[in-house]
């Protein structure tokens, strides 16, 4: 069995390497809060849990500071792969995807009810017939059919 | 010719293009051609690949038409080629500076390109909403400045000042809004301003739908229902019947705090009534009761079970369940409840067994918990999925960075177990190499993972030159060799894995190698990535060289052991060694003085393997299983170097060692049939193979025939002939058997000299070597000469046989009971026998049958000796 040494700061926090600063801070704060609750519940393990709290605080501090995070990413490139990833579909995970999916779903829902929702941009459109330019030479040839 | 009787618009356009192509190339014709290609590209059902080609063709006909670049950019944008899309959009703005569509798309692609350009995208959207042309121009200038930085980067990311948008333009306010709500910090004022624009425009059915949808999106983004209700304004009361407003109202009802049971009931009712799409219910559920909320996993999962089957059976609900399971598992992982995390991810995997992140998380879990039970299966499954997805979409680039990183990490781990640093040429000491060779797990992993890493790393090059691993000025012949070498390496790397979809992946990878070769040959596309990927390509070549050197060190260590026990491993090493691109690595080796200019590393490695194979029977295998294993290793060596006769000779010997004479014989013949240059090295091998064939035939004879001297009752000539015939039928190329049989058949008294001649003539036709042929020729000549004197030989034979029989009889009589009468009778019988043999000798001399003379002389001498002994006198060598 190969020892992968798969501990990255991201995996310790349980966030994706692509997590935003806010998500990282949130994860760090949540973990620390839970560890403190645990310290209250399990006084016998207080020293061990305190040590863990310090560790989470430190690595959270690295990832929360953009420059330190960039340096960490550069030094541990392969660990970006060996990090727990979100398995949720993008619509549940990424704000931008959520909006895209929602917009498509609502468009289809309303279309079924006879209401046409204008596409947000040309990226959402499929019908570009209006973009054709009349061309006498071409249109004559087509008209001969 | 004109377009005629065409029954579909697409066919009409194709016919029109054909027609136009035959006309003289005038500006009008070019513009008509561009328009026709454009319409075909945008035809409903046109595949992206075809659409792209059509637009490229249209641009060649009319390079100044903005819409062509806009749509090509759009296609590339949708296909994920964002940099190319950005370039096209920017070009449209140069051709048509007032195009809002192009500016909108430019903004979107900048947002989609990620954090580095998102602020620029926001800037363009804000400028579009401001409705001030000078702001738009300034925003595009910022984009240009950023683009210029990409060409000559100064090392610092460009900072773009945040810009608040205006009140919102009809075509851009929603984009600005959606862009705004994905940010970490949302400006409440800006948000309100944009929604005010939306509400103000909500007079027609379409605009009402736009504003209501925007409010729903806002709600899904986590904004408070109370605030959203305010943004919706009078819509909820004045247009309650509008489906979009009904949807907004339903969404607002769901967003109210409620207990989970009531939420599920209301959601089911709203979906059932067609007010809400199920996707919205799933999104709202995750926001309200997702894993981020306190509570146990059991509670979170029980909440999902409250929905009716109509909702639970939907695809989106399955995704919701995975999201919940995964979120809970991530939480359990972070809190070091690993058993729970494993259960939850396994549950997610049961819903979608092809999801890579789930497989990765399970693999990480196995590594983290050092679970031997789960480790191999989990990592194997992850790797399989990374290849399967690429095979499934028909694109080796999919998950390529993940595959490369995974394999490289595994290679590094395997190396680090026995070497302090990875990859350096002087990194491994002999002790380290020995330790590594002794660690089967680490070695196997290193051997196999490195090839997978290498193949993926090569496939990752966008430059066709680097993909093939050649240099910019490599000739066509060497390029084809490089291509074939890479294709072989792909096969080597993927060989031995039983992952699903691997054959398809191999086909795709091979196709990519072939396309790279074609691209270079056709020289159609400028290799724009050559320079930027050069350093990486050199680093990969260096890694390949280090790999080759390490493999050689390992092989030398095996050779030093002089044992056939290392043959299996030796084959593995050679298999991987020969897969490396030595056409590229050899000049580097020469340049660094690792080998001299006249050394071919491939020949060197082949020689190493053959040298190792020579020890195949040392030490002597103790069991049948060991013998079979050595043979199997030799079989693999032959498969690796099928043209090598020496290896085949060793294999034949190993086959004989397991008692498969027929197979050994067939294998030897196959080896002899291989084309080979007759030189000092191959000739002895050929000779040994022929000897082996002879020996196999000879060994097929019964012991009594092979060594008649040792037998109490020597077989008769007829018995020997029968045995030889049988052996020759089994092994017709055995020269020893054939010659012996011919010799016996040609003997006087046997009466089969024609058969002997025929036998030798056939042998001559199928001789295995020049030496064997010469032997047949010689024997054939002798036999033919025997045939010419056959009547005389027959007479001689009769005479000598008669004399011998007489001698045996009288001596037998005399020795059974010696008497004077018997002595006289014996002398009387022996004297005519001597005369008969003397006559035979005379006949032989007369007919110049020299080959019979020594035997006759010997017989005559023995007869005279008998007479002398009976007579009590000295033998008389003279006549009489």
């Amino acid at each position: 069995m190969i020892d992968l040494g798969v501990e990255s700061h991201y995996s310790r926090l349980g966030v994706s390497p692509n997590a935003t600063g806010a998500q990282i801070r949130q994860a760090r704060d949540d973990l620390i809060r839970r560890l403190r609750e645990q310290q209250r519940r399990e006084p016998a393990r207080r020293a061990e849990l305190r040590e863990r709290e310090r560790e989470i605080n430190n690595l959270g501090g690295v990832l929360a500071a953009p420059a330190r995070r960039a340096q960490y990413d550069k030094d541990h490139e392969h660990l970006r792969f060996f990090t727990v990833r979100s398995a949720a579909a993008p619509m549940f995970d990424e704000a931008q995807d959520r909006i895209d999916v929602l917009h498509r779903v609502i468009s289809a829902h309303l279309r079924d009810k006879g209401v046409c929702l204008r596409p947000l941009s040309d990226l959402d459109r499929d019908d570009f017939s209006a973009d054709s330019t009349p061309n006498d030479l071409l249109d004559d040839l087509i008209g001969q059919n | 010719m004109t377009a005629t009787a065409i029954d579909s618009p697409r066919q009409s356009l194709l016919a029109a293009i054909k027609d136009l192509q035959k006309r003289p190339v005038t500006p009008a014709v070019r513009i008509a051609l561009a328009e026709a290609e454009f319409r075909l590209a945008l035809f409903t059902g046109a595949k992206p690949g075809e659409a792209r080609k059509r637009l490229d063709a249209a641009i060649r006909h009319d390079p100044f038409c903005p819409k062509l670049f806009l749509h090509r950019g759009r296609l590339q944008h949708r296909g994920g080629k964002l940099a190319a899309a950005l370039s096209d959009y920017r070009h449209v703005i140069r051709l048509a500076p007032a195009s809002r569509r192009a500016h909108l798309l430019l903004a979107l692609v900048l947002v989609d390109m990620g954090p580095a350009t998102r602020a620029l995208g926001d800037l363009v959207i804000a400028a579009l909403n401001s409705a001030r042309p000078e702001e738009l121009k300034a925003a595009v200038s910022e984009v240009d400045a950023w683009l210029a930085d990409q060409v000559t980067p100064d090392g610092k990311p460009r900072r773009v000042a945040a810009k608040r948008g205006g009140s919102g333009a009809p075509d851009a306010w929603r984009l600005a809004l959606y862009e705004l709500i994905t940010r970490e910090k949302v400006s409440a004022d800006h948000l309100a301003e944009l929604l005010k624009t939306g509400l103000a425009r909500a007079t027609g059915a379409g605009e009402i739908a736009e504003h209501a949808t925007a409010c729903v999106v806002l709600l899904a983004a986590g904004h408070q229902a109370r605030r959203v209700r305010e943004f919706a304004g009078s819509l909820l009361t004045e247009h309650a019947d509008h489906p979009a407003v009904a949807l907004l109202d339903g969404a607002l009802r769901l967003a109210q705090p409620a207990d989970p049971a009531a939420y599920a009931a209301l959601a089911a009712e709203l979906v059932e009534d067609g007010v809400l799409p199920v996707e919205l219910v799933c999104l709202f559920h995750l926001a309200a009761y997702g894993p981020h909320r306190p509570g146990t996993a059991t509670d979170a999962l029980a909440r999902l079970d409250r929905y009716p089957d109509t909702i639970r059976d939907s695809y989106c609900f399955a995704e919701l369940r995975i999201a919940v399971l995964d979120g809970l598992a991530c939480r359990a992982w972070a809190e070091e409840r690993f058993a729970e995390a494993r259960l939850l991810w396994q549950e997610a995997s049961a819903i979608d067994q092809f999801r890579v992140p789930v497989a990765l998380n399970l693999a990480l879990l196995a590594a983290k918990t050092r679970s031997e039970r789960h480790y191999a299966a989990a990592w194997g499954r992850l790797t399989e999925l990374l290849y399967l997805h690429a095979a499934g979409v028909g694109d080796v680039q999919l998950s390529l960075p993940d595959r490369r990183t995974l394999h490289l990490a595994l290679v590094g781990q395997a190396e680090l177990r026995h070497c302090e640093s990875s990859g350096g040429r002087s990194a491994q000491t002999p002790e380290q190499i020995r330790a590594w060779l002794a660690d089967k797990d680490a070695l196997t992993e290193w051997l196999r993972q490195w090839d997978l890493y290498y193949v993926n790393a090569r496939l990752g090059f966008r430059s066709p030159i680097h993909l093939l691993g050649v240099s910019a000025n490599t000739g066509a012949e060497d390029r084809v060799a490089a291509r074939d070498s890479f294709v072989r390496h792909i096969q080597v790397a993927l060989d031995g894995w039983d992952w699903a979809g691997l054959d398809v992946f191999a086909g795709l990878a091979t196709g990519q190698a072939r396309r790279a070769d074609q691209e270079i040959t056709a020289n159609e596309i400028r290799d724009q990535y050559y320079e930027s990927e050069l350093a990486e390509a050199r680093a990969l070549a260096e890694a390949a060289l280090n790999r080759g050197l390490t493999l050689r060190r390992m092989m030398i260590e095996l050779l030093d052991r002089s044992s056939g026990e290392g043959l299996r491993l030796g084959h593995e090493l050679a298999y991987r060694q020969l897969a490396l691109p030595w056409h590229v690595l050899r000049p580097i080796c020469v340049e660094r003085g690792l080998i001299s200019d006249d050394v071919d590393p491939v020949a060197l490695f082949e020689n190493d393997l053959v040298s190792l194979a020579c020890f195949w029977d040392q030490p002597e295998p103790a069991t049948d299983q060991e013998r079979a294993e050595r043979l199997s290793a030799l079989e693999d060596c032959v498969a690796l170097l099928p043209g090598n006769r020496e290896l085949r000779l060793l294999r034949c010997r190993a086959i004989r060692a397991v008692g498969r004479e027929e197979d050994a014989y067939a294998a030897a013949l196959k080896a002899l049939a291989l084309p080979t240059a007759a030189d000092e090295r191959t000739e002895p091998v050929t000779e040994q193979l022929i000897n082996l064939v002879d020996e196999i035939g000879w060994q097929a004879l019964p012991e009594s025939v092979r060594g008649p001297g040792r037998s109490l009752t020597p077989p008769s000539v007829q018995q020997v002939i029968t045995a030889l015939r049988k052996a020759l039928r089994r092994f017709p190329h055995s020269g020893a058997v054939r010659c012996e049989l011919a010799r016996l058949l040609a003997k006087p008294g046997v009466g089969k000299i024609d058969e002997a001649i025929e036998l030798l003539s056939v042998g001559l036709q199928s001789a295995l070597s020049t030496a064997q042929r010469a032997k047949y020729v010689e024997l054939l000549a002798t036999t033919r000469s025997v045939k010419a004197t056959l009547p005389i030989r027959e007479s001689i034979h009769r005479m000598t046989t008669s004399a011998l029989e007489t001698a045996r009889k009288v001596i037998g009589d005399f020795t059974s009971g010696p008497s004077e009468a018997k002595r006289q009778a014996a002398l009387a019988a022996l004297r005519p026998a001597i005369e008969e043999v003397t006559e035979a000798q005379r006949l032989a001399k007369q007919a110049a049958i020299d080959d019979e003379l020594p035997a006759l002389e010997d017989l005559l001498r023995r007869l005279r000796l008998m007479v002398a002994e009976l007579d009590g006198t000295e033998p008389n060598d003279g006549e009489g």
Side-chain angles (χ1 to χ4, degrees):
Chain A
M1 185 160 100
I2 300 265
D3 178 9
L4 282 163
V6 288
E7 286 291 3
S8 78
H9 285 6
Y10 295 103
S11 69
R12 299 298 301 273
L13 284 183
V15 295
S16 150
N18 300 322
T20 61
Q23 287 168 326
I24 286 168
R25 282 191 293 276
Q26 179 75 49
R28 178 194 60 188
D29 296 347
D30 283 354
L31 261 177
I32 287 175
R33 181 173 47 75
R34 282 193 213 116
L35 283 167
R36 285 182 183 161
E37 284 168 8
Q38 216 175 339
Q39 283 172 42
R40 281 196 293 277
R41 283 198 310 272
E42 302 172 54
R45 291 179 61 207
R46 184 164 294 166
E48 174 206 338
L49 293 167
R50 224 177 238 170
E51 180 55 36
R52 200 162 132 63
E53 184 190 324
R54 260 194 297 275
E55 193 191 350
I56 296 293
N57 224 340
N58 285 341
L59 61 91
V62 170
L63 297 187
R68 292 175 72 193
R69 182 181 177 184
Q71 188 59 45
Y72 177 82
D73 285 351
K74 199 176 163 191
D75 293 345
H76 301 83
E77 202 175 350
H78 70 284
L79 288 182
R80 286 178 66 80
F81 177 74
F82 294 117
T83 297
V84 168
R85 292 187 192 183
S86 168
M91 67 176 279
F92 291 113
D93 211 34
E94 302 286 340
Q96 188 62 53
D97 281 292
R98 190 175 306 130
I99 290 172
D100 289 346
V101 170
L102 209 52
H103 203 268
R104 267 202 304 278
V105 164
I106 294 174
S107 290
H109 178 80
L110 295 179
R111 195 166 49 243
D112 288 348
K113 297 179 181 303
V115 177
C116 189
L117 195 62
R118 203 160 45 93
L120 277 173
S121 73
D122 281 339
L123 291 178
D124 302 316
R125 280 172 64 189
D126 287 317
D127 180 12
F128 292 101
S129 47
D131 284 5
S132 293
T133 312
N135 181 293
D136 291 345
L137 179 54
L138 178 65
D139 293 334
D140 281 352
L141 279 172
I142 294 170
Q144 287 171 21
N145 302 322
Chain B
M1 194 184 97
T2 55
T4 54
I6 309 293
D7 56 359
S8 80
R10 183 182 148 82
Q11 294 299 324
S12 302
L13 280 165
L14 287 170
I17 287 174
K18 263 189 179 177
D19 198 319
L20 288 164
Q21 280 170 339
K22 288 175 185 164
R23 300 183 179 209
V25 184
T26 63
V29 167
R30 290 176 69 108
I31 289 169
L33 273 167
E35 179 64 21
E37 295 281 10
F38 172 76
R39 290 185 196 176
L40 276 170
L42 268 57
F43 226 86
T44 312
K47 289 182 179 166
E50 192 206 338
R52 167 71 202 266
K53 279 182 187 165
R54 296 270 172 211
L55 286 169
D56 284 344
I59 287 169
R60 279 197 295 275
H61 291 307
D62 185 359
F64 302 104
C65 178
K67 71 177 182 181
L68 304 179
F69 291 95
L70 184 132
H71 281 281
R72 190 173 72 175
R74 184 183 59 80
L75 270 180
Q76 303 196 106
H77 194 163
R78 283 176 76 154
K81 293 177 178 168
L82 304 182
L86 172 64
S87 166
D88 273 344
Y89 295 152
R90 182 63 192 91
H91 192 63
V92 179
I93 293 168
R94 272 186 216 106
L95 294 171
S99 167
R100 285 186 69 82
R101 282 172 77 183
H103 281 91
L104 263 175
L105 288 168
L106 178 74
L108 284 174
V109 82
L110 287 165
V111 167
D112 290 346
M113 282 169 76
T117 52
R118 190 169 177 173
L120 280 170
D122 288 347
L123 195 68
V124 179
I125 293 176
L128 281 163
N129 275 315
S130 76
R132 282 190 291 275
E134 65 277 12
E135 277 199 19
L136 203 52
K137 210 172 164 185
V140 174
S141 297
E142 285 283 348
V143 175
D144 286 344
W146 178 81
L147 284 168
D149 282 352
Q150 303 314 297
V151 180
T152 51
D154 58 5
K156 290 179 188 169
R158 187 172 187 81
R159 293 188 71 86
V160 178
K163 191 90 180 171
R164 261 278 302 278
S167 58
D171 58 352
W173 75 270
R174 285 184 301 159
L175 278 180
L177 176 75
Y178 294 159
E179 178 47 24
L180 187 64
I181 60 181
T182 57
R183 289 188 195 170
E184 280 180 32
K185 284 182 186 167
V186 178
S187 157
D189 289 350
H190 191 194
L191 194 74
E193 207 171 335
L194 289 166
L195 283 158
K196 206 171 147 190
T197 304
L199 186 61
R201 294 183 69 250
T203 48
E207 287 76 12
I208 290 171
E210 284 177 12
H211 188 66
T213 304
C215 289
V216 174
V217 170
L218 207 57
L219 204 55
H223 288 257
Q224 288 181 348
R226 182 183 54 80
R227 286 283 289 155
V228 174
R229 206 176 278 280
E230 283 171 19
F231 288 136
S234 57
L235 278 190
L236 289 165
T237 48
E238 289 176 11
H239 302 283
D241 291 340
H242 191 291
V245 178
L247 186 148
L248 172 60
D249 184 54
L252 283 166
R253 284 168 65 196
L254 262 191
Q256 301 293 339
D259 76 275
Y263 180 92
L266 177 63
E269 183 191 321
L270 290 168
V271 171
E272 186 73 21
D273 293 346
V275 176
L276 291 185
V278 69
E279 289 85 352
L280 203 62
V281 169
C282 293
L283 274 173
F284 280 18
H285 177 102
L286 196 73
Y289 307 109
H292 58 287
R293 300 280 175 188
T296 66
T298 316
D299 291 342
L301 295 172
R303 280 196 282 274
L304 292 174
D305 293 336
R306 292 204 174 99
Y307 288 93
D309 287 348
T310 46
I311 290 182
R312 284 165 56 186
D313 289 347
S314 69
Y315 172 77
C316 186
F317 195 82
E319 288 295 343
L320 170 65
R321 190 179 282 278
I322 291 174
V324 171
L325 285 164
D326 179 62
L328 292 167
C330 285
R331 198 168 84 188
W333 163 281
E335 293 169 7
E336 300 195 345
R337 288 179 281 114
F338 298 124
E340 184 183 332
R342 176 174 290 122
L343 270 177
L344 290 162
W345 273 320
Q346 281 172 341
E347 191 70 19
S349 174
I351 300 170
D352 181 359
Q353 57 177 315
F354 300 105
R355 193 155 299 208
V356 170
V358 174
L360 171 68
N361 296 343
L362 282 168
L364 292 174
L365 202 52
K368 176 121 180 165
T369 56
R370 301 188 160 274
S371 164
E372 292 210 18
R373 191 159 69 89
H374 297 106
Y375 181 87
W379 284 98
R381 178 62 180 163
L382 169 64
T383 319
E384 179 177 33
L385 286 183
L386 291 176
Y387 282 88
L388 182 62
H389 280 282
V393 300
D395 182 2
V396 292
Q397 299 303 321
L398 188 77
S399 303
L400 189 143
D402 283 351
R403 288 194 302 272
R404 193 172 46 198
T405 307
L406 171 64
H407 297 311
L408 186 61
L410 292 170
V411 167
Q413 289 287 332
E415 275 180 346
L416 284 171
R417 279 177 79 160
H418 300 289
C419 305
E420 282 165 15
S421 63
S422 58
R425 270 191 290 131
S426 57
Q428 308 104 1
T429 63
E431 289 72 29
Q432 285 172 334
I433 290 283
R434 274 194 285 279
W436 205 351
L437 287 173
D439 185 346
K440 201 180 162 197
D441 272 0
L443 184 61
T444 307
E445 198 71 358
W446 179 74
L447 286 174
R448 303 181 82 185
Q449 297 291 344
W450 193 92
D451 283 322
L452 288 168
Y453 156 70
Y454 180 80
V455 163
N456 280 290
R458 279 248 165 275
L459 290 171
F461 285 118
R462 287 173 294 179
S463 154
I465 289 174
H466 296 321
L467 190 140
L468 289 185
V470 293
S471 60
N473 51 3
T474 301
E477 199 178 319
D478 287 345
R479 208 172 52 241
V480 169
R483 182 199 66 192
D484 293 345
S485 160
F486 184 46
V487 168
R488 265 198 310 280
H489 209 150
I490 292 168
Q491 287 159 356
V492 167
L494 302 180
D495 183 28
W497 303 100
D498 60 352
W499 302 325
L502 213 54
D503 287 347
V504 176
F505 184 90
L508 291 170
T510 303
Q512 188 146 330
R514 299 220 161 99
R515 267 195 306 283
D517 180 32
Q518 284 162 4
E519 272 177 33
I520 302 170
T521 308
N523 203 18
E524 277 174 357
I525 305 162
R526 193 176 62 86
D527 194 344
Q528 55 180 322
Y529 301 108
Y530 178 79
E531 287 299 333
S532 60
E533 292 179 340
L534 189 57
E536 204 182 330
R538 283 185 177 150
L540 188 62
E542 185 72 26
L545 180 62
N546 289 337
R547 160 90 161 179
L549 295 174
T550 304
L551 286 169
R552 182 98 211 283
R553 284 187 204 111
M554 289 178 167
M555 187 61 112
I556 288 169
E557 168 60 26
L558 285 185
L559 281 166
D560 285 348
R561 294 178 188 178
S562 310
S563 166
E565 286 166 346
L567 188 54
R568 166 71 60 201
L569 180 55
H571 163 262
E572 271 294 304
L573 298 179
Y575 182 52
R576 311 275 165 189
Q577 205 169 25
L578 293 169
L580 291 171
W582 289 105
H583 56 278
V584 178
L585 303 180
R586 188 180 170 277
I588 303 174
C589 291
V590 173
E591 190 187 309
R592 293 184 185 177
L594 297 170
I595 54 172
S596 58
D597 197 24
D598 57 345
V599 171
D600 174 7
V602 172
L604 200 66
F605 305 143
E606 289 183 2
N607 195 40
D608 285 347
L609 183 63
V610 174
S611 301
L612 183 64
C614 288
F615 300 117
W616 72 272
D617 56 350
Q618 293 173 31
E620 178 78 23
T623 62
D624 287 348
Q625 196 183 341
E626 275 181 36
R627 255 185 293 277
E629 168 51 31
R630 301 268 180 96
L631 171 59
S632 160
L634 271 172
E635 299 275 12
D636 288 344
C637 293
V638 170
L640 182 62
L641 303 176
N644 190 297
R645 274 192 180 180
E646 209 168 340
L647 274 179
R648 285 178 181 261
L649 171 66
L650 297 169
R651 181 178 61 157
C652 290
R653 289 182 179 152
I655 296 173
R656 288 198 73 201
V658 296
R660 289 162 39 200
E661 296 286 275
E662 259 88 357
D663 291 343
Y665 172 79
L669 290 183
K670 212 168 167 186
L672 285 163
L674 289 175
T676 180
D679 55 32
E680 281 177 8
R681 192 182 159 136
T682 55
E683 272 175 8
V685 177
T686 305
E687 200 179 313
Q688 288 180 62
L689 278 165
I690 293 169
N691 288 345
L692 192 122
V693 169
D694 281 355
E695 203 180 308
I696 290 172
W698 198 250
Q699 290 294 320
L701 295 168
E703 179 75 19
S704 58
V705 174
R706 275 184 282 137
R710 289 194 293 271
S711 176
L712 289 174
T713 51
S716 67
V717 172
Q718 205 50 55
Q719 282 172 324
V720 175
I721 286 174
T722 305
L724 285 165
R725 276 192 173 132
K726 196 174 164 191
L728 195 64
R729 270 198 300 278
R730 280 176 70 193
F731 306 110
H733 285 281
S734 171
V737 174
R738 186 176 290 271
C739 289
E740 182 61 14
L741 180 59
R743 194 183 62 76
L744 282 182
L745 291 172
K747 271 195 157 195
V750 175
K752 300 279 185 189
I753 194 154
D754 287 336
E755 188 185 336
I757 290 171
E758 174 63 21
L759 210 58
L760 292 169
S761 302
V762 170
L764 195 58
Q765 299 292 318
S766 56
L768 295 173
S769 66
T770 315
Q772 197 179 58
R773 188 171 295 111
K775 196 173 172 188
Y776 283 135
V777 167
E778 187 190 341
L779 197 55
L780 192 59
T782 311
T783 311
R784 282 187 175 136
S785 78
V786 168
K787 191 184 173 186
T789 55
L790 195 61
I792 302 166
R793 285 176 188 270
E794 294 284 1
S795 300
I796 294 169
H797 180 68
R798 271 194 303 278
M799 289 173 185
T800 52
T801 308
S802 159
L804 263 175
E805 278 170 8
T806 304
R808 275 196 197 115
K809 187 171 178 303
V810 295
I811 296 298
D813 284 351
F814 177 73
T815 51
S816 63
S819 68
E820 182 53 25
K822 282 184 181 176
R823 191 180 71 86
Q824 288 300 332
L827 282 169
L830 283 173
R831 282 186 183 118
I834 287 172
E835 279 170 19
E836 210 166 8
V837 175
T838 307
E839 175 58 14
Q841 196 182 35
R842 191 190 62 76
L843 284 174
K845 281 180 182 165
Q846 195 177 18
I849 306 172
D850 295 343
D851 56 308
E852 294 279 3
L853 287 174
L856 289 167
E857 193 66 41
D858 183 54
L859 181 57
L860 205 53
R861 190 183 53 77
R862 282 190 286 145
L863 289 171
R864 282 179 183 148
L865 192 63
M866 288 175 202
V867 169
E869 281 177 3
L870 287 169
D871 226 0
T873 58
E874 284 298 307
N876 180 8
D877 287 342
E879 284 186 19

